[in-house]
Amino acid sequence: MFDLEQMINTLIEGDESNLITLVRAALDQGMDAKRILNDGLIAGMDIVGAKMENDELFIPEVLMAAKAMSAGVEILKPFLSADDMGNRGIVVIGTVKGDLHDIGKNLVAMMLESAGLEVHNLGADVSPNQFLEVIKEKKAGMLCLSALLTTTMPMMKETIDAVTKKGLRKTIKIMVGGAPVTQNFADEIGADGYAPDAGSAVKLAKELLQLGSQKI
Ligand code: B1M
């Protein structure tokens, strides 16, 4: 029987080429793609998220693990039905208008995608209108806003206010984050939640979207 433990450890180590070899080997040995995804890749990424929260893994390692995971998922995609991939929630994410910092936001986006969410990453310097357009087009259930500058934090409130004005606030959960953002600020501007890092962002997104199970 294929050893998923080895796959999990390889993912945590961010060893992309070995992970690709292991995912292919598992498929060759007849393991179900959904099982590889859930019990190998997603299980590994859950551990990465937890280690990040506990300061046992840091940004470069998490980025490597997320990149390795994406490569593994690419191999599995043809073997997974649309149902297996699941639409566990549609997320729109971006850095707010005026702010060009996107490294942390991209990390959050990758981790959310790794957790099985459908993620639409609009990049940086995204205006409230740009967010609104995609939220409507994709019928998103969650909006994720990132800001790294104290001067662009008020744009988070402007974006939330624009969502409310369009009558969409009741149908969408809003999570905010970025180095200068705090839980107090999130409460003040009417966000549903704040996450300090990518690992806790995944945990919070699952809670807010009521995706109780870790599995797709
Ligand atoms: Co700028 N910059 N920068 N910068 N930059 C900071 C943020 C700064 C703290 C540096 C400093 O002065 N010490 C400072 C902000 C001060 C402040 O407002 N308090 C600053 C400044 C002032 C500026 C400029 C104004 C400089 C200038 O031009 N005079 C300018 C502004 C440009 C603009 O945005 N309009 C500017 C420009 C830039 C670069 C373009 C050069 C570059 C960005 C490149 C890019 O992103 N593509 C840059 C960088 C790299 C930084 C630092 C050095 C690193 C940021 C980073 O990527 N961190 C930063 C100093 C620092 O943080 N040490 C700094 C790594 C990243 C993984 O962490 O983004 O915090 P972070 O993301 C974390 C969490 O915050 C969280 O999860 C991530 C992973 O754990 N998180 C979320 C992030 N988004 C989330 C969303 C969530 C949940 C969690 O839910 C939705």
Side-chain angles (χ1 to χ4, degrees), residues 52 59 63 93-95 98-108 112 143-152 156 175-180 193-201:
M52 187 181 182
I59 306 299
L63 278 172
I93 185 168
T95 306
D99 198 321
L100 302 175
H101 297 85
D102 67 356
I103 298 169
K105 180 266 302 169
N106 286 342
L107 186 57
V108 173
L112 291 174
L143 172 64
C144 292
L145 301 174
S146 180
L148 261 286
L149 299 171
T150 45
T151 49
T152 54
M156 290 181 143
M175 173 163 68
V176 294
Y194 153 77
D197 56 54
S200 32

Side-chain angles (χ1 to χ4, degrees), residues 14 19 36 42 51 73 89 98 113 124 142 156-157 161 166 171 180 186 192 199 203:
L19 187 72
I36 300 172
I42 291 180
K51 281 184 180 284
V73 171
E113 204 160 35
M142 172 166 259
M156 290 181 143
K157 177 165 171 13
D161 288 350
K166 277 277 177 240
T171 58
D192 294 300
K203 215 160 124 190

Side-chain angles (χ1 to χ4, degrees), residues 54 65 70 75 96 99 146 159 162 165 168 174 203 211 214:
N54 296 333
S70 299
I75 294 167
V96 295
D99 198 321
S146 180
T159 307
K165 253 193 195 151
L168 297 168
I174 301 181
K203 215 160 124 190
L211 300 169
Q214 298 286 313

